[in-house]
Amino acid sequence: MSEEIEGTRPATDEATHEEQQEIDDNVISPEKAEEVKLKARYPHLGAKPGGSDLLRKRLQKGQKFFDSGDYNMAKAKVKNKQQLPAVTPAEKAEITGDHIPTPQDIPQRKPSIVASKLAG
Amino acid sequence: MAGAGGGGNDVQWCFSQVKGAIDDDVAEADIISTVEFNHSGELLATGDKGGRVVIFQQELESKSQPQCRGEYNVYSTFQSHEPEFDYLKSLEIEEKINKIRWLPQKNAAQFLLSTNDKTIKLWKISERDKRPEGYNLKEEDGRYRDPTTVTKLRVPVFQPMDLMVEASPRRVFANAHTYHINSISVNSDCETYLSADDLRINLWNLEITDRSFNIVDIKPANMEELTEVITAAEFHPNQCNTFVYSSSKGTIRLCDMRASALCDQHSKLFEEPEDPSNRSFFSEIISSISDVKFSHSGRYMMTRDYLTVKIWDLNMESRPVETYQVHEYLRSKLCSLYENDCIFDKFECCWNGNDSVVMTGSYNNFFRMFDRGYRQDVTLEASRESSKPRSVLKPRKVCTGGKRKKDEISVDSLDFNKKILHTAWHPQDNIIAVATTNNLYIFQDRL
């Protein structure tokens, strides 16, 4: 009789724990599976010593500029991109002084405060 | 089919209004960064990445339409913060409004605190509905009169005028934070408030701008030893000596300002024990708390980490009393969410007026509500498709695997660029404000 039930165990805590181990060995938790994927793509991740890179990046968020001149140039470039319509090649080829500008030709000075669209 | 709601499982959420542009090309400045109702719920403030604040006011309920609650219309809008350049570090200081917090109303004017990464400002919003007329030396349009034409003397009189709402900065609290401010919280004493950055928390008096007390400092002597940062902080709603702050490691510390001037030693430490066998590279990142909010009662607090919302009883530090899964199906997508940085998204959470329901956002413009009493949860969507006036929102379902049923959406079809990070619940009524990237949705329960 005891030999017959050798293969099956009574439902004790020990038994279910061992069964769980088997299940765990066969099926990695989804989180660990994702970790394996990440390590495969980026083998050097987490290998650097000296504080968490993530925390460091977080403390110094934002783009670093060389100086205030660099910053103002970058800002002006962004503003220009937003306000100037696309210039056709014909207009670009104009020689200075060839064409007398009219108020319509001069790019509009962007108002410093643009109202939020939520208030529109 | 009922949705989760306050006080009963029969609340049906309806579309009420949507604010903002329809076009898909979103300018960065229009990205909404904070949403907050004032203490009465009459006013609703939003802040955006362009440093602007827009305040909506609820209309008084009209007698002709008793079934509808008042609509929210624009009350005031102003530029709160401008971009600055930090000359010492050669870094830009963004004008993005990180948080807005209202002060309780004390007189006719309304006050709010708005903050970007470095500077907090106190704004006064006041109404003007009369103006003096009948000056002796000035014409009505403001031009000065020729003094020789003045033959009579009169007293100027206040006459009614069209309502004008003015916003003026009353205080500027600057230069107190080396790192980026993530939270501000007004104390229940209405005299002080705290501001928290990644490593420090400061205490201010609302009247005094040139002095601030540091009450928490977790900066290590050697920055190489840095292991965690402060992610959020809040004062207790009625105990003026108590505040909490959360960390990137998933812990919450409760501090008592009566214990010492510098509250580096916590009074209570709330931390859920972790199963070490489940630990992975992602464990710490997804345990980072993005928001902490006290319940209105002050008995509980809620924390939001990447995948869950947890309710803690202040009397029990060992583990949360309730845990709600926001989008557990993302656990098997963590690798790609790490690569596209979505794993670092900071979702906020909020309580309803009587602390019976909590709400938080997710991806694909979905947001979730959890009814604590009825143990029900619902997923709703903020989209233009379901924005017919008073149309009832249909609950959404994400299919996690296997056969996708009709009306379900599969995990791989979710749009991770459509994130709802900011939501707010009216302090008394079932009115919610949900911010998508650049639109503000207002939903109400069906009356």
Side-chain angles (χ1 to χ4, degrees), chain A residues 64-108:
Chain A
K64 213 157 166 108
F65 294 92
F66 181 70
D67 61 12
S68 61
D70 183 23
Y71 168 69
N72 285 311
M73 289 290 288
K75 241 181 35 160
K77 235 183 253 177
V78 171
K79 277 203 178 142
N80 278 342
K81 265 195 218 150
Q82 283 174 355
Q83 72 177 13
L84 287 181
V87 179
T88 66
E91 286 172 330
K92 268 192 189 148
E94 268 177 20
I95 306 159
T96 315
D98 217 36
H99 167 76
I100 297 168
T102 59
Q104 291 93 298
D105 296 349
I106 298 170
Q108 290 293 314

Side-chain angles (χ1 to χ4, degrees), chain B residues 104-122:
Chain B
Q105 190 173 14
K106 285 209 178 129
N107 51 39
Q110 299 277 358
F111 288 87
L112 61 79
L113 286 172
S114 70
T115 185
N116 69 347
D117 283 338
K118 296 285 183 183
T119 306
I120 307 127
K121 294 188 185 179
L122 176 69

Side-chain angles (χ1 to χ4, degrees), chain B residues 29 53 92 145 190 247 269 323 330 334 346 361 369 420 437:
Chain B
V53 171
E92 178 175 29
R145 293 165 82 177
C190 299
S247 84
L269 174 65
T323 301
L330 295 184
L334 292 177
K346 296 183 180 56
M369 286 185 188
I420 290 178
T437 306

